[in-house]
């Protein structure tokens, strides 16, 4: 009887510790990330388009750049933006975004890489200093679509630097 009680207690403790996880602040898990396959191009072209799309057109700055034969990773620093109207309706006054463009070899003989874009978004209230993960709203999704469409169109066009 005593062994059975101890075993049941242990199982209940384990079950209590195996939750699905929560976002910061103890709330439900929030999907604050956009992931998009951008297409395929050469390493130089991917880097050039990322510079054009993110630095020149949208005012981001790269915090980290990794450019090797096996991995291209371009990560921006967080950029603070005013909240969109639908983010304001959720109680946020500001948003910040960090974008990572990553590319891996697709066809080594052709020198092409498959590129993806990951964008993270966090928000804070009009008077708060604490950033929390916020859902991607319809208006913010349009902002990301503008960026990803630029990449996709450049890669479809096949224009590569030095050609």
């Amino acid at each position: 009887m005593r062994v059975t009680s101890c075993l049941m207690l242990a199982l209940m403790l384990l079950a209590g510790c195996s939750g699905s996880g929560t976002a910061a602040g103890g709330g439900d898990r929030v999907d604050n990330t956009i992931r998009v396959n951008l297409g395929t191009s050469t390493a130089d072209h991917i880097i050039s388009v990322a510079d054009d799309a993110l630095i020149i057109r949208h005012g981001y700055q790269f915090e980290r750049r990794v450019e090797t034969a096996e991995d291209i990773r371009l990560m921006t620093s967080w950029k603070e933006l005013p909240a969109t109207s639908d983010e304001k309706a959720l109680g946020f006054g500001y948003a910040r975004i960090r974008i990572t463009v990553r590319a891996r070899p697709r066809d080594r003989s052709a020198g092409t890489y498959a590129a993806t874009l990951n964008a993270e978004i966090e928000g804070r209230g009009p008077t708060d200093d604490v950033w929390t993960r916020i859902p991607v709203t319809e208006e913010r999704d349009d902002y990301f679509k503008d960026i990803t469409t630029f990449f996709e169109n450049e890669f479809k066009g096949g224009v590569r630097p030095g050609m």
Side-chain angles (χ1 to χ4, degrees), residues 52-80:
D52 191 14
L54 299 176
I55 295 172
I56 296 169
R57 293 175 182 267
H58 290 279
Y60 287 88
Q61 294 180 354
F62 286 123
E63 180 177 288
R64 185 169 184 201
R65 292 177 80 112
V66 175
E67 301 171 29
T68 69
E70 295 301 317
D71 187 30
I72 297 170
R73 198 170 338 127
L74 309 168
M75 180 188 292
T76 70
S77 54
W78 287 100
K79 180 180 177 186
E80 191 171 325

Side-chain angles (χ1 to χ4, degrees), residues 5-57:
S5 297
C6 288
L7 183 58
M8 290 186 63
L9 178 62
L11 288 173
M12 288 183 352
L13 286 173
L14 285 173
C17 294
S18 64
S20 62
T22 59
D28 292 332
R29 188 172 192 110
V30 175
D31 188 8
N32 72 324
T33 306
I34 294 282
R35 291 175 188 85
V36 178
N37 291 324
L38 298 173
T40 304
S41 193
T42 65
D44 289 341
H45 192 222
I46 291 168
I47 293 165
S48 173
V49 172
D51 286 344
D52 191 14
L54 299 176
I55 295 172
I56 296 169
R57 293 175 182 267

Side-chain angles (χ1 to χ4, degrees), residues 110-122:
T112 57
Y113 289 73
T116 59
L117 180 139
N118 290 335
E120 303 169 76
I121 183 166
E122 294 181 346

Side-chain angles (χ1 to χ4, degrees), residues 76-128:
T76 70
S77 54
W78 287 100
K79 180 180 177 186
E80 191 171 325
L81 299 167
T84 60
S85 60
D86 51 3
E87 290 166 345
K88 287 178 183 174
L90 295 173
F92 298 101
Y94 300 93
R96 70 178 184 175
I97 296 169
R98 178 171 58 190
I99 297 175
T100 303
V101 174
R102 188 158 196 183
R104 298 285 180 124
R106 173 134 189 202
D107 183 347
R108 291 184 194 283
S109 63
T112 57
Y113 289 73
T116 59
L117 180 139
N118 290 335
E120 303 169 76
I121 183 166
E122 294 181 346
R124 66 179 174 88
T127 59
D128 296 342

